[in-house]
Amino acid sequence: MTYIIQGTRDDFEVVIGLEVHAQVTSKAKLFSGAATAFGAEPNTQVSLVDAAMPGMLPTINAECIRQGVRTGLALGAEINKFSVFDRKNYFYADLPQGYQISQFKHPIVGEGTITINKKDGTSKDIDVERIHLEQDAGKSMHDQHPQMTYVDLNRSGVALMEIVSKPDMASPEEAGLYVGKLRTILRYIGSCDGNMEQGSMRADVNVSVRRAGEPLGTRCEIKNVNSIRFVRQAIEIEARRQVDIIEDGGHIDQETRLFDPVKGETRSMRSKEEAHDYRYFPDPDLLPVEFDDDFIAAARESLPELPDAKHHRFVSDFGISDYNAGVLVAEKESSDFFEELIAALVDASGKKASAVAAKAANWVMGDLFGALNKAGKTLSDCPVSPAQGAELLGLIEDGTISGRTAKDVFEIMFETGDSAEKIVEEKGLKQVSDTGAIEKIIDDLLVANPAQVQQYRDGKVKMIGFFVGQVMKATGGQANPAIVNQLLKPKLDG
Ligand code: ADP
Ligand code: MG
């Protein structure tokens, strides 16, 4: 379905391209040995290189190069064995060098692709134009002193990958999915932790609008959007603003804007007229980066199974739905948990993975995720292990407890970390599957409720539900419903 913005006269489409800055997971900065940990006291992680003391020379951190290459490979992108670091010149208080070291003409990674899976079940390939490596700047703090701005250089020189998409996205949904999928991939391969709330991933969102069939419109770039929800909101609001201007007979100025989520608006930061002339030139302190095929092969070798491959395997080997597979592979932890759960179920039951997977997926996505959500926990601090989950599902499968009882047992497991069997034993929750005992209850019920029996026999077959309910009541909810139904029907039919 196409995303349309309705003007007063015409319908408009939106065109979106994203520049995502992702902090490379590395103990040291791109060109210095200073630490990169989040949350340190201001200016405690600054080397003389990061503070741009005269005469200091940058040294490339090979680990950052390797992570850039791994990221490119994970996006199926072209890897450039020759790339160049350039100086991008501008003046700002939190940039002591007076330039940022980045890559311009010769980035380390060329064109690649990210596939997004949309809610309507379709998927779409979004093309990536390039990935280059660059330094982050420091941080200006305007709220620490009434007259002065303070500068924290901890981030100065931290390695970033800038992942630039083509203008391939056509709705806020697609842009949100793109950022989510990119984050999933980066987390799988460990090249960036993807923590948007800590600033280790942020997006510059380019938005333009046009009437169907028109060439691309003039874009505005919304800087540093730091959550997926804000990416979607910023696009909606910015596209609407542009449509209103065009329909009023105005035209869009290419400019850089800020998104204000509190006011729900985008505001101009600087226009194209004031645009920087960065005077890029190759950094004379750094040689071009060159590596060979072995370096690329080793980087490829180090990649885990990627989310798309895992997704396909979950669907084809486990027979779970496309949607469920998508949810389960979105985080590596949940896909690992699911696979361990399946392995334990297969082990215990001797059944095939495809015979146990659908129920396992429902349990993980329903009960488990629900409980984690409610408790504000993640799978990494989950009190129930995959083996314990398998034991619980096993008890339902062999009829020891009903699905209903299992929910209560799970709640206790989640709280105490006890095993399902122990809880069932201690609380006496075993389902009554003893046909003799159930039969006796049924016989008594039929005698006690002759009117309802007659109604059933007169053709009101739904009355069977009444009797099932009564048996459940008599057994404190512990009768095996399958067996109750099996025994009831012939007796009611007389
Ligand atoms: P710059 O480096 O000046 O920001 P680029 O050509 O690298 O310019 O483009 C930056 C981003 O803008 C890319 O992600 C690209 O996909 C996107 N983009 C380019 N043209 C448009 C457009 N007309 N509408 C929306 N996005 C666009
Ligand atoms: Mg840009």
Side-chain angles (χ1 to χ4, degrees):
M1 227 185 53
T2 335
Y3 178 81
I4 298 278
I5 304 132
Q6 283 178 330
T8 45
R9 286 184 296 279
D10 298 320
D11 286 347
F12 287 78
E13 302 171 354
V14 63
V15 175
I16 304 144
L18 296 178
E19 298 160 273
V20 174
H21 288 93
Q23 179 175 334
V24 179
T25 303
S26 160
K27 290 205 171 69
K29 295 183 180 179
L30 184 51
F31 300 112
S32 86
T36 59
F38 176 79
E41 283 289 302
N43 297 310
T44 54
Q45 301 181 153
V46 187
S47 76
L48 297 172
V49 174
D50 310 320
M53 288 298 151
M56 293 300 116
L57 286 175
T59 319
I60 289 183
N61 176 345
E63 176 60 10
C64 296
I65 300 290
R66 195 178 77 89
Q67 293 293 16
V69 170
R70 293 177 77 243
T71 304
L73 291 170
L75 305 188
E78 193 187 331
I79 305 298
N80 296 323
K81 284 186 272 185
F82 173 93
S83 68
V84 175
F85 281 104
D86 297 286
R87 291 185 178 180
K88 177 181 182 180
N89 297 276
Y90 65 97
F91 178 78
Y92 205 74
D94 56 25
L95 186 78
Q97 287 171 150
Y99 56 85
Q100 176 192 30
I101 305 177
S102 180
Q103 296 189 305
F104 187 51
K105 272 202 193 121
H106 301 284
I108 190 163
V109 175
E111 294 190 4
T113 312
I114 294 178
T115 305
I116 56 171
N117 301 301
K118 304 197 1 172
K119 252 208 225 100
D120 63 8
T122 62
S123 60
K124 178 173 173 179
D125 285 349
I126 309 294
D127 285 340
V128 168
E129 186 159 321
R130 56 189 267 148
I131 303 176
H132 61 258
L133 289 167
E134 63 183 28
Q135 300 176 297
D136 205 349
K139 191 168 102 189
S140 300
M141 298 184 289
H142 304 290
D143 55 358
Q144 311 280 311
H145 189 280
Q147 276 94 38
M148 288 189 280
T149 289
Y150 287 2
V151 175
D152 174 10
L153 292 180
N154 281 353
R155 294 195 70 98
S156 170
V158 163
L160 302 178
M161 297 180 276
E162 178 168 338
I163 301 146
V164 183
S165 86
K166 301 216 169 161
D168 276 359
M169 287 154 276
S171 68
E173 183 206 359
E174 289 184 8
L177 289 171
Y178 171 87
V179 177
K181 184 63 173 286
L182 174 57
R183 183 175 60 181
T184 295
I185 294 170
L186 296 177
R187 283 181 169 166
Y188 263 66
I189 69 172
S191 65
C192 167
D193 65 28
N195 292 336
M196 298 186 82
E197 60 293 347
Q198 294 183 358
S200 42
M201 208 180 133
R202 47 195 200 258
D204 295 346
V205 183
N206 295 271
V207 178
S208 66
V209 298
R210 62 176 172 190
R211 295 178 185 85
E214 282 183 353
L216 287 182
T218 302
R219 69 186 157 101
C220 289
E221 177 175 352
I222 308 157
K223 277 279 178 201
N224 278 333
V225 185
N226 64 359
S227 81
I228 291 177
R229 187 161 58 95
F230 288 166
V231 166
R232 290 198 303 255
Q233 285 176 358
I235 293 165
E236 257 172 57
I237 288 165
E238 175 61 17
R240 165 55 57 192
R241 185 188 73 88
Q242 293 183 13
V243 165
D244 290 348
I245 290 174
I246 293 169
E247 291 231 307
D248 278 351
H251 69 279
I252 305 302
D253 294 324
Q254 186 177 336
E255 60 182 0
T256 304
R257 300 181 69 85
L258 262 184
F259 174 54
D260 181 340
V262 178
K263 292 199 174 136
E265 62 179 28
T266 67
R267 276 198 301 277
S268 183
M269 276 173 78
R270 53 177 186 258
S271 72
K272 187 74 178 172
E273 276 66 44
E274 309 156 38
H276 297 277
D277 172 7
Y278 292 120
R279 291 169 293 118
Y280 277 101
F281 60 86
D283 190 313
D285 290 337
L286 290 161
L287 287 170
V289 182
E290 289 184 85
F291 43 76
D292 55 16
D293 290 323
D294 288 349
F295 182 77
I296 300 176
R300 194 188 299 279
E301 200 54 33
S302 76
L303 293 179
E305 182 183 30
L306 294 169
D308 283 345
K310 210 183 272 288
H311 184 140
H312 290 137
R313 187 165 57 80
F314 279 12
V315 172
S316 64
D317 291 8
F318 297 158
I320 62 173
S321 72
D322 209 41
Y323 176 80
N324 287 0
V327 172
L328 288 167
V329 305
E331 299 286 349
K332 188 160 183 311
E333 288 73 26
S334 52
S335 67
D336 287 346
F337 188 101
F338 180 66
E339 289 209 78
E340 284 171 40
L341 176 64
I342 297 282
L345 285 168
V346 167
D347 241 15
S349 67
K351 288 186 185 160
K352 279 207 204 138
S354 56
V356 295
K359 280 184 189 160
N362 284 338
W363 179 75
V364 170
M365 292 170 57
D367 298 21
L368 184 66
F369 284 2
L372 286 170
N373 236 337
K374 211 167 118 194
K377 291 189 178 196
T378 62
L379 275 175
S380 55
D381 46 18
C382 180
V384 176
S385 69
Q388 287 177 310
E391 191 190 290
L392 175 69
L393 293 178
L395 293 179
I396 308 175
E397 202 52 38
D398 68 16
T400 308
I401 54 174
S402 68
R404 176 73 225 103
T405 303
K407 288 194 187 294
D408 298 338
V409 173
F410 174 62
E411 215 169 276
I412 302 169
M413 287 170 75
F414 197 84
E415 232 158 66
T416 61
D418 283 347
S419 82
E421 274 183 36
K422 177 165 178 249
I423 295 164
V424 169
E425 199 57 52
E426 279 180 6
K427 307 243 168 208
L429 294 172
K430 268 201 184 127
Q431 168 164 264
V432 180
S433 295
D434 173 352
T435 49
I438 296 174
E439 238 171 322
K440 168 87 177 48
I441 293 169
I442 293 175
D443 291 339
D444 291 348
L445 277 170
L446 295 197
V447 173
N449 299 283
Q452 282 83 350
V453 174
Q454 199 48 53
Q455 282 178 24
Y456 176 89
R457 291 186 178 154
D458 288 345
K460 202 171 169 196
V461 290
K462 268 199 291 189
M463 280 315 289
I464 195 166
F466 165 79
F467 288 102
V468 173
Q470 292 299 310
V471 177
M472 284 306 185
K473 206 167 148 194
T475 58
Q478 290 178 21
N480 181 330
I483 292 176
V484 174
N485 271 295
Q486 236 174 53
L487 296 176
L488 248 175
K489 187 132 194 324
K491 285 185 193 287
L492 277 172
D493 288 341

